[in-house]
Amino acid sequence: MDAVTAALVAAGLAVGDGGAPPAASIPPTGIYAALYFDPGQSLSESLADQRTDFVLSFQVTVVGPTAEKVRWAAQRTRAALHAPLTVAGCTAWRPEELGGPPIQRDDDVSPPLFYLPVQYRLQSTS
């Protein structure tokens, strides 16, 4: 989870865990990413039931004031997560993009915001 967050921050995105980042850290562009992680699952590597493999699903919801800025942030996210992540003591695969729904507009806030949730799966072994 820390590696995903670090990759997005390194790509220049403001990031929140489980929702929007603090208002003070959202840039003037209004673009940010909200991360939602599941608890993950350890898997056995063999019949000996050694639990060294780990699978984690997560969603990156990019938010912005226009659909164009949300598409830009989604591409920035893809680029940041393209390389395998560095996790101490583990070997991680490149995050696999699972997709999501199209861009949506939230008219319940003023001014309206656009958002795009994209789901990923991350696997590692130690």
Side-chain angles (χ1 to χ4, degrees):
M1 292 180 235
D2 291 340
V4 171
T5 301
L8 296 181
V9 168
L13 294 169
V15 178
D17 185 3
S25 67
I26 297 176
T29 61
I31 300 169
Y32 63 87
L35 296 175
Y36 301 93
F37 294 99
D38 74 11
Q41 181 180 10
S42 63
L43 305 171
S44 59
E45 68 178 47
S46 67
L47 293 175
D49 200 34
Q50 294 180 16
R51 302 265 169 178
T52 58
D53 294 346
F54 184 73
V55 176
L56 172 75
S57 295
F58 62 97
Q59 176 177 298
V60 180
T61 300
V62 291
V63 179
T66 66
E68 180 183 12
K69 289 183 179 183
V70 166
R71 284 190 295 272
W72 174 87
Q75 286 300 98
R76 184 76 121 195
T77 299
R78 285 183 183 103
L81 297 176
H82 181 70
L85 301 174
T86 302
V87 179
C90 295
T91 300
W93 283 261
R94 176 178 290 126
E96 175 186 6
E97 185 176 340
L98 303 175
I103 293 175
Q104 299 173 42
R105 179 181 160 136
D106 184 356
D107 289 318
D108 291 337
V109 297
S110 183
L113 291 173
F114 292 83
Y115 63 96
L116 176 64
V118 180
Q119 296 183 349
Y120 291 86
R121 179 177 26 236
L122 179 62
Q123 299 182 51
S124 67
T125 188
S126 55

